[in-house]
C-alpha cells in the first residue's frame, strides 16, 4: 500500500482550502481508492459526504438479482468518439445542479442515452423472473419504486432499455438483511439501465437494483469517493437527470455502433432490428434472362430470409435514421430507389436517369453513386463516367456531381477509350468517400473520390494492393472488403479473379490489408451492424457460365475472420441491419374519397377508388400540375429531369417519374397544358384500360379485346406486338387515338398514352 496525492479530475473552484488524503491500492480491474476530504463549515466542524463509484462492468455490493444485462451488450466497450463529443457538449452547455455541481441534463436530451443496435442492452423478463422467485426482494424492490408487488411485471414491461453515455449520479439500492439499502452512486458511462417514460433511470441491469434520482447533498468534488475508479473518470463531466414533465413516447438515443441519433419508442426496450438485403441477377453473362430481376429481402436474424418485394435489379442497401434505402436499376437501365422503415413494406421505386450501384447515409444526408446512363439525351450519357446523387429524405434526389475517367492522368495518355464504374460509397469522420474502377481497355486501376459536402469531389489513387473494394465506416474507423490481385495470373480471367481480402484505415486512404478467413472468401455489400460487420458473397465469375455467388450472409467483429450466419437469394448483393423506430416520409392523400389507384386512359389519367369508381379525371389537354399532385399523393414523391431540346427538331421537355411510371410535358412549366404518360414495368396501383398492366400475356389482352386494332412485327429475333385499347376519335373523326399496349415476345412490357392508332405518334 502506498500513498498518492492524485484524485480524479475535479472542477476548479474558488472556495475554502480542502485537506485531501488519498489512499490507493492497485487491484485487478482498476484503482481502488478512498479519499477523505474535510470541508471547513461555518461552525468549524467537518461534514463529509460519501459517494460510491459503480463501474459499468461491476454488480457492486449487495445486488438485488443476478445480472440481467443482455449477453450481447459489452458493458466494457469504449464509447465512440462521436458519442463522447456529443456528451462533452451536453455537459458543457447545461446548467449545473446547485447542490452537487453536476450538469443537470434533461432526460429527453438527444444522445443522453445510447442503444446497441437491434438488441436490447437489458433483459426485462429476466428481471421480472428473478423478483418473482424471491418474495422478500420483490417487496423491497417494489417499495423503493412506490409500486405494488403485483404490478412489477407490468411496470417492468413499460420500461425502456438504454445505456448511459455519461457518468450519472443516482440513488442506488442494494439488498441486505432483508431490506433495501440506499446509497449515493455514480454510474459509469456504458452502464445498462432501464428508464421509465419520463426518462428516469429506475433499474441498474448489472445487479437488478432499483434506482431513484440523486439525493446527494454535497458537491461531487467535496465528497468521499468509495469504490473502484475507471479510466477517464472526470468529476467535471458528471450529470444528474432531470425527468420530463410528463410521459413521452420516444427517446432520441445514440446508436452505440455508429454514434448516429435514432428514435427509440418508450417501452420497446431497444427496438428489435431486422436484416435487409438486396439482390440482382443482372451480372449473369452466360445467358440473358428477360427481364433482369431483383429482390428486397428481410430476416429477423440473418439466417432465415423471405422476399419482401420482387423488383428490378437492386445492387446495394444502407440504413440510417430508422430508414432502409435500396438502390439499383429500373427496367429501362435508369436508376431505381426503394425505401422502408420496417424491412417488410417498401415504397414504390423512385426513378433517376442514371443506374445506381451504391448508397450510404451520414450527417442526415443520403448519397448514392452510379454510372451515367447510355440513354440520357443530349449526348451527355456515354455510360463511361460516374454520377453522384444526394437526398435529404431519400425521396427527392438530385444529381450533384459527375466524375470523368479522362481526368485520370495515369490513364488519359494511353490512347485507349476510357471507362469508369462506381462501386461503393460511405460516410465517416465528416466526409464522404466513393470507390471506382477506371480502365483503359484491360489496364485498370482503383480510385477513390473524397468530399466534405457530397458535391465537390477529389480523386486519389487507391492502394494498388486492392483490386476489389466495398467501403464502410462504423463510427470508429474506415473498412473495406473485396480482394487483392492473384499473383502471377495465368490468363486474363485470373486477372479478374481476386483473392479475398479486407482492411481498415484511420483516414480512408492508408490501408492495413489482410486476407479473409475462410481462405479466399471474397465479400461485398459491407455495412456495420450491432457492433460487428456484415457482408455477402461477391460475384467474381471465372467464366461466362459461372454459378451465382451463393447468397451467403456473413458476420465478423474484426473484418478478417467471418462467420456465415445464413443464406439469402443466390444473387444477393448487399446486407444491412435496420433499427425500428423510423418514420417514412408522409404523403397527403389526394382527397378523402377513397382514392386507391391510377388508370391510364386515352383522354387522360383517372384516379380510382377501391370500388372501381372514378373519383378524379385528369385530361391530357389540361395542366400537368393536377396530375402530378394526384399521382404523388398515391405513389409518393416524384423525380423530375429536364431534357434539353436540340434547338431544331425538339423542344425542352420535363420528365416526371414515379418508379416505372412517367409523365412528360413540354418545357418546365407544369401549369402548361399538354402531356403524355408511359408505364415501363409493373407498378402497384397503376393499370391501363380494363386493368391491363405490364407483365400480362399479349394473347390474354387480345382475347379480352378481340375488336382492338393491333399489329405485329419481328426485329432482330424479337417478336413485337402493339395493341390499341380505348380507341377514341378526334379531329372530327379523322384521327383515332388510343392507349398503346407494347408487347415483346408475347409479354406486355409497356403502356403509352395518348398515341395515334397504327400511325406515327
Amino acid at each position: 500500500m502506498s500513498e498518492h496525492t492524485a484524485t480524479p479530475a475535479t472542477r476548479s473552484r474558488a472556495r475554502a482550502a480542502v485537506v485531501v488524503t488519498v489512499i490507493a491500492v492497485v487491484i485487478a480491474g482498476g484503482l481502488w481508492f478512498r479519499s477523505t476530504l474535510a470541508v471547513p463549515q461555518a461552525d468549524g466542524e467537518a461534514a463529509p459526504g460519501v459517494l460510491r463509484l459503480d463501474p459499468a462492468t461491476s454488480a457492486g455490493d449487495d445486488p438485488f438479482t443476478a445480472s440481467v444485462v443482455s449477453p450481447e451488450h459489452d458493458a466494457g466497450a469504449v464509447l465512440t468518439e462521436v458519442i463522447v463529443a456529443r456528451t462533452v457538449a451536453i455537459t458543457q452547455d447545461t446548467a449545473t445542479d446547485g447542490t452537487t455541481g453536476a450538469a443537470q441534463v434533461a432526460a429527453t436530451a438527444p444522445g443522453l442515452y445510447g442503444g446497441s443496435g437491434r438488441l436490447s442492452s437489458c433483459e426485462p423478463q429476466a428481471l421480472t423472473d428473478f423478483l418473482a422467485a424471491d418474495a422478500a426482494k420483490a417487496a423491497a424492490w417494489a417499495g423503493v419504486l412506490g409500486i405494488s408487488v403485483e404490478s412489477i411485471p407490468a411496470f417492468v414491461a413499460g420500461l425502456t432499455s438504454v445505456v448511459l453515455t455519461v457518468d450519472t449520479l443516482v440513488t442506488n439500492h442494494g439488498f441486505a438483511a432483508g431490506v433495501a439499502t440506499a446509497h449515493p452512486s455514480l454510474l459509469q458511462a456504458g452502464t445498462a439501465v432501464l428508464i421509465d417514460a419520463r426518462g428516469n433511470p429506475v433499474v441498474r441491469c448489472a445487479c437488478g437494483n432499483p434506482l431513484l434520482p440523486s439525493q446527494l447533498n454535497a458537491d461531487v468534488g467535496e465528497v468521499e469517493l468509495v469504490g473502484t475508479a475507471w479510466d477517464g473518470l472526470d468529476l467535471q463531466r458528471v450529470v444528474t437527470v432531470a425527468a420530463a414533465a410528463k410521459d413521452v413516447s420516444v427517446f432520441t438515443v445514440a446508436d452505440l455502433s455508429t454514434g448516429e441519433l435514432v428514435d427509440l419508442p418508450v417501452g420497446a426496450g431497444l427496438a428489435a432490428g431486422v436484416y435487409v438485403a438486396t439482390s440482382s441477377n443482372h451480372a449473369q453473362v452466360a445467358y440473358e434472362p428477360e427481364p433482369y430481376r431483383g429482390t428486397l429481402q428481410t430476416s429477423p436474424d440473418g439466417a432465415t430470409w423471405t422476399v419482401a418485394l420482387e423488383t428490378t435489379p437492386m445492387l446495394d442497401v444502407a440504413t440510417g435514421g430508422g430508414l432502409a434505402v435500396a438502390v439499383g436499376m429500373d427496367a429501362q437501365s435508369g436508376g431505381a430507389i426503394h425505401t422502408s422503415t420496417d424491412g417488410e413494406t417498401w415504397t414504390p421505386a423512385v426513378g433517376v436517369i442514371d443506374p445506381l450501384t451504391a448508397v450510404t447515409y451520414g450527417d442526415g444526408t443520403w448519397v448514392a453513386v452510379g454510372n451515367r446512363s447510355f440513354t440520357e439525351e443530349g449526348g451527355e450519357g456515354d455510360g463511361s463516367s460516374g454520377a453522384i446523387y444526394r437526398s435529404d429524405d431519400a425521396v427527392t434526389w438530385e444529381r450533384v456531381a459527375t466524375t470523368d475517367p479522362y481526368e485520370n492522368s495515369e490513364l488519359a495518355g494511353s490512347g485507349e477509350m476510357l471507362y469508369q464504374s462506381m462501386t461503393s460509397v460511405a460516410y465517416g469522420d465528416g466526409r464522404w468517400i466513393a470507390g471506382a474502377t477506371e480502365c483503359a481497355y484491360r489496364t485498370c486501376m482503383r480510385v477513390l473520390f473524397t468530399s466534405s459536402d457530397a458535391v465537390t469531389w477529389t480523386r486519389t489513387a487507391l492502394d494498388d494492393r486492392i483490386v476489389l473494394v466495398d467501403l464502410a465506416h462504423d463510427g470508429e474507423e474506415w473498412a473495406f472488403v473485396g480482394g487483392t490481385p492473384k499473383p502471377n495470373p495465368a490468363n486474363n480471367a485470373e486477372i479478374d479473379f481476386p483473392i479475398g481480402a479486407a482492411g481498415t484505415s484511420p483516414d480512408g486512404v492508408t490501408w492495413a490489408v489482410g486476407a479473409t478467413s475462410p481462405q479466399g472468401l471474397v465479400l461485398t455489400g459491407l455495412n456495420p451492424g450491432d457492433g460487428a460487420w456484415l457482408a455477402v458473397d461477391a460475384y467474381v465469375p471465372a467464366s461466362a457460365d459461372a454459378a451465382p455467388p451463393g447468397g451467403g450472409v456473413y458476420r465478423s467483429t474484426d473484418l478478417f475472420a467471418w462467420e456465415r450466419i445464413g443464406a439469402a437469394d443466390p444473387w444477393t448483393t448487399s446486407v444491412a441491419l435496420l433499427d425500428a423506430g423510423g418514420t417514412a416520409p408522409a404523403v397527403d392523400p389526394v382527397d378523402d374519397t377513397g382514392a386507391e389507384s391510377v388508370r391510364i386512359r386515352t383522354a387522360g389519367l383517372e384516379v380510382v377508388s377501391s370500388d372501381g369508381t372514378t373519383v378524379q379525371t385528369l385530361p391530357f389537354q389540361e395542366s400537368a400540375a393536377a396530375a402530378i399532385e394526384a399521382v404523388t399523393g398515391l405513389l409518393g414523391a416524384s423525380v423530375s429531369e429536364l431534357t434539353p431540346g436540340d434547338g431544331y427538331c425538339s423542344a425542352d421537355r420535363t420528365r416526371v417519374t414515379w418508379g416505372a411510371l412517367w409523365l412528360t410535358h413540354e418545357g418546365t412549366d407544369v401549369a402548361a397544358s399538354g402531356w403524355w404518360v408511359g408505364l415501363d414495368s409493373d407498378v402497384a396501383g397503376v393499370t391501363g384500360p380494363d386493368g391491363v398492366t405490364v407483365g400480362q400475356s399479349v394473347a390474354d389482352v387480345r382475347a379480352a379485346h378481340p375488336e382492338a386494332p393491333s399489329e405485329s412485327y419481328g426485329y432482330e429475333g424479337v417478336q413485337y406486338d402493339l395493341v390499341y385499347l380505348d380507341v377514341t376519335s378526334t379531329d372530327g373523326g379523322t384521327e383515332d387515338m388510343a392507349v398503346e399496349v407494347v408487347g415483346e415476345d408475347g409479354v406486355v412490357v409497356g403502356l403509352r398514352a395518348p398515341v395515334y392508332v397504327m400511325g406515327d405518334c
Side-chain angles (χ1 to χ4, degrees):
M1 181 178 292
S2 61
E3 290 192 358
H4 300 272
T5 57
T7 63
T10 58
R11 287 179 175 79
S12 174
R13 298 176 177 82
R15 53 179 72 190
V18 179
V19 179
V20 182
T21 302
V22 179
I23 301 174
V25 180
V26 177
I27 61 173
L31 178 71
W32 187 94
F33 66 90
R34 188 181 184 100
S35 61
T36 303
L37 296 85
V39 183
Q41 304 295 308
D43 57 7
E45 296 181 1
V50 176
L51 179 63
R52 180 176 297 175
L53 303 178
D54 284 313
T57 55
S58 170
D61 298 332
D62 305 322
F64 258 83
T65 70
S67 173
V68 293
V69 175
S70 168
E72 298 293 332
H73 174 63
D74 182 4
V78 177
L79 297 178
T80 69
E81 293 180 2
V82 174
I83 293 176
V84 171
R86 187 182 294 118
T87 58
V88 168
I90 288 174
T91 55
Q92 289 178 342
D93 298 340
T94 305
T96 58
D97 175 79
T99 301
T100 64
Q104 193 171 32
V105 180
T108 54
L112 174 63
Y113 297 122
S116 59
R118 69 182 181 91
L119 296 176
S120 173
S121 55
C122 301
E123 297 182 320
Q125 187 58 52
L127 173 64
T128 300
D129 292 344
F130 275 123
L131 294 175
D134 192 317
K137 286 186 175 181
W141 194 93
V144 170
L145 297 172
I147 62 174
S148 67
V149 171
E150 293 74 20
S151 66
I152 288 177
F155 176 81
V156 172
L159 301 178
T160 306
S161 178
V162 296
V163 173
L164 302 179
T165 64
V166 63
D167 298 346
T168 303
L169 286 173
V170 297
T171 299
N172 201 344
H173 295 79
F175 183 81
V179 297
T181 58
H183 57 271
S185 172
L186 181 61
L187 302 182
Q188 182 187 8
T191 297
V193 297
L194 295 171
I195 60 175
D196 64 17
R198 297 194 179 188
N200 289 304
V202 292
V203 181
R204 184 171 181 239
C205 298
C207 51
N209 288 1
L211 307 174
L212 291 176
S214 173
Q215 297 173 1
L216 187 67
N217 58 5
D219 194 292
V220 290
E222 300 173 354
V223 296
E224 180 182 356
L225 302 179
V226 178
T228 303
W230 47 85
D231 290 342
L233 174 60
D234 182 354
L235 296 184
Q236 296 185 74
R237 292 189 54 246
V238 171
V239 304
T240 59
V241 176
K246 59 182 180 179
D247 291 355
V248 299
S249 60
V250 66
F251 290 100
T252 301
V253 303
D255 185 289
L256 294 183
S257 297
T258 65
E260 294 178 0
L261 295 176
V262 296
D263 286 343
L264 180 63
V266 167
L270 277 175
V274 295
Y275 290 83
V276 289
T278 54
S279 77
S280 167
N281 70 346
H282 83 286
Q284 231 167 332
V285 292
Y287 60 94
E288 295 185 357
E290 289 289 348
Y292 289 124
R293 67 170 180 85
T295 63
L296 297 169
Q297 308 160 77
T298 184
S299 170
D301 54 11
T304 304
W305 290 84
T306 58
V307 174
L309 180 67
E310 293 185 355
T311 183
T312 52
M314 290 287 109
L315 300 181
D316 194 31
V317 64
T319 58
L323 193 67
V325 175
V327 301
M329 303 183 296
D330 66 17
Q332 305 303 312
S333 296
I337 304 157
H338 294 278
T339 67
S340 175
T341 58
D342 61 9
E344 295 283 351
T345 303
W346 293 81
T347 60
V350 170
V352 295
I353 192 66
D354 303 304
L356 301 175
T357 56
V359 64
T360 193
Y361 177 80
D363 196 27
T365 300
W366 293 93
V367 170
V369 300
N371 304 310
R372 296 289 294 277
S373 171
F374 280 104
T375 63
E376 184 177 353
E377 296 183 28
E380 297 294 332
D382 61 4
S384 67
S385 56
I388 300 171
Y389 286 79
R390 178 176 177 171
S391 175
D392 292 329
D393 58 9
V395 176
T396 303
W397 294 80
E398 178 186 6
R399 187 170 67 190
V400 293
T402 58
T403 58
D404 185 353
Y406 286 90
E407 294 178 357
N408 186 330
S409 59
E410 294 188 39
L411 298 177
S414 66
E416 301 284 353
M417 179 179 292
L418 305 188
Y419 62 92
Q420 180 189 79
S421 176
M422 303 294 286
T423 59
S424 65
V425 65
Y427 176 84
D429 295 333
R431 62 177 177 155
W432 310 86
I433 300 182
T437 297
E438 295 183 333
C439 298
Y441 187 54
R442 294 290 298 177
T443 301
C444 295
M445 63 182 295
R446 279 73 193 173
V447 299
L448 299 177
F449 294 90
T450 62
S451 175
S452 60
D453 59 5
V455 176
T456 303
W457 296 77
T458 302
R459 173 191 277 102
T460 182
L462 179 62
D463 190 319
D464 60 12
R465 295 172 296 168
I466 304 171
V467 296
L468 185 66
V469 62
D470 192 29
L471 299 166
H473 195 282
D474 67 350
E476 287 291 328
E477 62 183 353
W478 291 95
F480 90 90
V481 293
T484 56
K486 192 167 187 176
N488 304 314
N491 51 50
N492 284 340
E494 289 195 350
I495 293 176
D496 297 327
F497 197 76
I499 298 173
T504 60
S505 171
D507 56 10
V509 177
T510 304
W511 292 90
V513 181
T516 51
S517 174
Q519 185 176 5
L521 182 65
V522 184
L523 298 170
T524 190
L526 181 68
N527 275 300
D530 191 29
W533 296 98
L534 301 171
V536 299
D537 283 318
Y539 187 48
V540 282
S543 63
D545 58 355
V553 179
Y554 297 84
R555 184 179 188 274
S556 174
T557 57
D558 64 4
L559 284 169
F560 302 106
W562 291 85
E563 174 191 7
R564 183 179 171 118
I565 60 174
D569 184 288
W571 291 99
T572 292
T573 52
S574 183
V575 62
L577 192 65
L578 170 63
D579 292 332
T583 302
V587 178
D588 293 333
V590 175
D591 51 37
D592 59 359
T593 56
E596 185 175 86
S597 61
V598 174
R599 183 162 55 211
I600 300 172
R601 298 292 301 272
T602 302
L605 295 182
E606 294 177 343
V607 178
V608 183
S609 67
S610 57
D611 63 3
T613 302
T614 300
V615 298
Q616 190 175 10
T617 301
L618 304 159
F620 289 125
Q621 298 309 312
E622 295 184 3
S623 167
I628 294 171
E629 179 182 359
V631 176
T632 298
L634 288 169
L635 301 184
S638 62
V639 174
S640 297
E641 292 278 350
L642 175 66
T643 301
D646 60 12
Y648 178 66
C649 293
S650 64
D652 292 350
R653 295 175 176 178
T654 299
R655 183 180 174 107
V656 185
T657 58
W658 300 264
L661 175 68
W662 52 263
L663 178 157
T664 299
H665 62 84
E666 300 286 357
T668 59
D669 183 5
V670 295
S673 62
W675 46 280
W676 55 101
V677 298
L679 182 67
D680 293 328
S681 68
D682 188 23
V683 173
V686 182
T687 65
D690 300 322
V692 172
T693 191
V694 174
Q696 281 186 257
S697 163
V698 172
D700 289 345
V701 175
R702 281 192 165 130
H705 304 84
E707 303 302 321
S710 65
E711 57 182 312
S712 301
Y713 60 92
Y715 181 72
E716 293 186 348
V718 178
Q719 175 69 28
Y720 293 94
D721 295 280
L722 301 177
V723 182
Y724 300 94
L725 304 181
D726 193 31
V727 177
T728 303
S729 295
T730 62
D731 294 335
T734 61
E735 299 284 354
D736 286 339
M737 304 294 290
V739 176
E740 183 180 65
V741 179
V742 182
E744 292 183 13
D745 288 338
V747 177
V748 175
V749 296
L751 303 177
R752 303 286 186 270
V755 301
Y756 290 103
V757 175
M758 303 179 71
D760 183 7
C761 62

